[in-house]
Amino acid sequence: MSILPRQGDGKITVPELLQRKDLAADSPNQKKITCLTAYDYPTARLMDEAGVDVVLVGDSVGMVMLGYDSTLPLTLDEALHHTKAVRRGVRRALLVADMPYGSYHGDLNESLRNAMRFVKEAGAEAVKIEGGERRLELISRLTEAEIPVMGHVGLTPQSVNALGGYRVQGKSPAAAEQVLRDARSVEAAGAFAIVLEAMPRELAAEITRSVRIPTIGIGAGPECDGQVLVLHDMLGLTFEEPPKFARRYANLGEVISQAVHQYCEDVQSGRFPTDAESYHTPASVKNRKAIAIAR
Ligand code: KIV
């Protein structure tokens, strides 16, 4: 199932996001790009109807929905399954699917086939892959095959073992130079946007100025062309302390917990269900029964 863009119906498309970058940052018409992660039909539908520009089926689904302790175990089939559910809830936003670890790290042809599955089977309009310079060839192959690619540089959670943990990237001059090179490579290879994760805002601002594609920041300061957050962080549905950049807009964890406590109490005390919440035997059936008993 896919939603085909039609001009003028408000559908967010890759060319439209690129055009936003063309508008000078100080132009009154320049609109920041809003992006959030979604992993299921109801939240995807709610955020699409609330007007978010880009819905990302992040591989964070592995941690926040499936309970893995990193994004590494997520399988291609699991990622496809969640992308299909999100597709059914999204009409206006651009739908981007994160390729899971291992689905694009080997043979280029196999990586291309895996990316195509997100488009053909799950209805994604673009895929996201982590890594900079070392993904040049892959990004070119995917874009040649008409698959728009969102890059992702800085802290790339799929590299957690290689990086030795989840750390802010680009803090030394040499490290900053590498992140800048990564971002430029991703652009040169044909990506239409880049996620900049966990880096000094000054570096993210420099990258944003030096590339012609939109940057979407997460823990990368306000100068990026757009922002992305993990939905469960912003809604208070995670169990660990969220990172400092993840502003909490609601505490749904508490709301759910309170509702479940209340339900249990009501069942135990007999306050649920009430007569109004029960079905009743029709009077005609009751009368027939009474007659039968009387006989
Ligand atoms: O998987 C994810 O949620 C992401 C965002 C943090 C950008 O990659």
Side-chain angles (χ1 to χ4, degrees):
M1 179 192 170
S2 69
I3 302 290
L4 289 178
R6 267 179 286 120
Q7 223 175 1
D9 65 359
K11 174 84 187 85
I12 304 293
T13 61
V14 165
E16 205 243 292
L17 294 179
L18 284 164
Q19 264 170 26
R20 286 205 210 174
K21 177 78 179 192
D22 287 342
L23 289 168
D26 53 3
S27 151
N29 295 327
Q30 214 252 13
K31 268 174 70 192
K32 294 266 187 186
I33 297 166
T34 55
C35 176
L36 283 172
T37 63
Y39 317 106
D40 58 28
Y41 170 76
T43 47
R45 185 165 168 176
L46 286 169
M47 71 173 65
D48 188 62
E49 289 173 2
V52 76
D53 294 319
V54 180
V55 172
L56 169 67
V57 187
D59 62 350
S60 48
V61 65
M63 297 177 78
V64 302
M65 294 286 287
L66 304 180
Y68 297 139
D69 62 5
S70 77
T71 57
L72 301 179
L74 184 73
T75 66
L76 182 58
D77 284 341
E78 286 167 337
L80 285 165
H81 170 80
H82 284 275
T83 306
K84 287 177 193 174
V86 169
R87 173 72 285 166
R88 292 189 277 271
V90 172
R91 302 195 69 79
R92 174 187 168 273
L94 184 81
L95 176 56
V96 182
D98 222 353
M99 291 191 67
Y101 176 67
S103 69
Y104 61 94
H105 297 77
D107 177 65
L108 276 183
N109 289 326
E110 191 196 338
S111 305
L112 176 59
R113 272 196 299 278
N114 289 339
M116 277 181 175
R117 290 191 67 190
F118 281 99
V119 177
K120 286 172 83 83
E121 294 173 32
E125 293 157 276
V127 296
K128 177 167 85 57
I129 61 175
E130 295 186 5
E133 280 188 317
R134 57 190 186 282
R135 302 281 175 254
L136 248 165
E137 207 181 338
L138 174 60
I139 296 174
S140 306
R141 283 291 292 277
L142 298 182
T143 51
E144 270 166 33
E146 320 301 346
I147 303 176
V149 176
M150 178 179 275
H152 183 158
V153 304
L155 172 58
T156 46
Q158 291 176 10
S159 325
V160 61
N161 291 326
L163 295 174
Y166 300 107
R167 299 207 175 88
V168 176
Q169 301 294 301
K171 291 206 315 198
S172 71
E177 200 44 54
Q178 181 60 53
V179 179
L180 186 56
R181 265 203 308 276
D182 282 337
R184 286 190 173 137
S185 305
V186 165
E187 177 191 25
F192 74 94
I194 326 175
V195 169
L196 306 180
E197 179 164 355
M199 65 183 69
R201 72 180 275 186
E202 296 78 9
L203 173 59
E206 187 183 346
I207 295 173
T208 300
R209 281 192 301 272
S210 67
V211 296
R212 291 186 318 276
I213 57 176
T215 58
I216 301 182
I218 174 160
E223 284 85 7
C224 298
D225 299 303
Q227 296 292 327
V228 56
L229 281 179
V230 170
L231 184 76
H232 287 54
D233 285 340
M234 71 168 279
L235 295 183
L237 279 172
T238 49
F239 298 95
E240 275 88 42
E241 191 56 30
K244 82 164 181 178
F245 59 79
R247 185 181 296 178
R248 199 163 257 191
Y249 284 85
N251 194 345
L252 296 194
E254 211 171 288
V255 172
I256 292 173
S257 189
Q258 270 176 14
V260 173
H261 271 114
Q262 187 63 58
Y263 165 77
C264 293
E265 257 178 58
D266 287 354
V267 170
Q268 299 300 350
S269 66
R271 282 195 301 269
F272 177 81
T274 60
D275 186 57
E277 287 158 332
S278 307
Y279 294 112
H280 294 92
T281 306
S284 57
V285 176
K286 268 194 203 155
N287 291 344
R288 247 185 279 131
K289 247 193 188 161
I291 293 166
I293 290 166
R295 276 191 194 136

